[in-house]
């Protein structure tokens, strides 16, 4: 009988990604553009693919629900988008959700199944 994997926290998953060299984050700026932090690269949804999605639920507070999306761009670079989900998104307005919905989901990569 297989034992299920223990649920990891957001910080544990981020550390495992860091160990694989993935430290960059894509953010939505005040102009509603999705940019690679500290590099200024602006992405369109078609420039990205979601290769893994992680969801974390707060123990007692639904406001602690967070999603981490692991993405790969057209050049093979990997980065993440982190967002609270549910009623308390990190971003106001519909642009963030609309952008995410337009990103193609690739097959979930097993190498990132922590």
């Amino acid at each position: 009988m297989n034992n299920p994997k223990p649920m990891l926290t957001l910080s544990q998953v981020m550390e495992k990604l860091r160990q694989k060299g993935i430290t960059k984050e894509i953010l939505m700026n005040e102009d509603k553009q999705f940019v690679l932090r500290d590099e200024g690269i602006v992405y369109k949804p078609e420039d990205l693919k979601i290769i893994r999605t992680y969801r974390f639920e707060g123990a007692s507070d639904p406001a602690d629900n967070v999603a981490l999306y692991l993405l790969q761009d057209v050049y093979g670079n990997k980065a993440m988008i982190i967002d609270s989900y549910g009623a308390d998104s990190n971003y106001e307005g519909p642009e963030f959700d609309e952008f995410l919905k337009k990103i193609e989901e690739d097959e979930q990569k097993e190498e990132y199944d922590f």
Side-chain angles (χ1 to χ4, degrees):
M1 183 160 106
N2 287 343
N3 289 330
K5 290 183 181 182
M7 292 287 292
L8 299 179
T9 64
L10 174 63
S11 58
Q12 288 170 320
V13 168
M14 290 179 70
E15 175 58 20
K16 287 187 175 284
L17 292 173
R18 187 194 65 74
Q19 290 170 4
K20 290 183 173 281
I22 302 168
T23 59
K24 297 181 188 226
E25 187 176 357
I26 297 170
L27 304 167
M28 186 173 76
N29 66 17
E30 56 279 345
D31 296 325
K32 309 292 187 190
Q33 295 174 315
F34 282 73
V35 296
L36 191 58
R37 181 193 297 217
D38 301 328
E39 297 197 23
I41 297 171
V42 178
Y43 288 112
K44 298 185 294 267
E46 56 270 22
D47 297 332
L48 300 165
K49 281 190 178 174
I50 296 172
I51 58 174
R52 194 88 198 175
T53 301
Y54 306 90
R55 296 197 185 278
F56 307 93
E57 296 181 8
S60 60
D61 185 352
D64 292 340
N65 292 347
V66 175
L68 185 153
Y69 303 94
L70 180 59
L71 303 134
Q72 184 168 321
D73 71 15
V74 292
Y75 306 106
N77 301 309
K78 293 177 182 72
M80 60 190 112
I81 292 177
I82 301 169
D83 184 45
S84 297
Y85 65 91
D88 294 325
S89 174
N90 292 356
Y91 301 101
E92 288 186 26
E95 293 86 359
F96 180 82
D97 287 337
E98 288 171 6
F99 186 92
L100 265 185
K101 287 177 189 171
K102 291 177 186 172
I103 299 174
E104 183 180 326
E105 284 203 43
D106 204 355
E107 185 177 322
Q108 296 279 303
K109 302 282 190 214
E110 289 301 314
E111 67 189 285
Y112 302 109
D113 183 14
F114 306 130

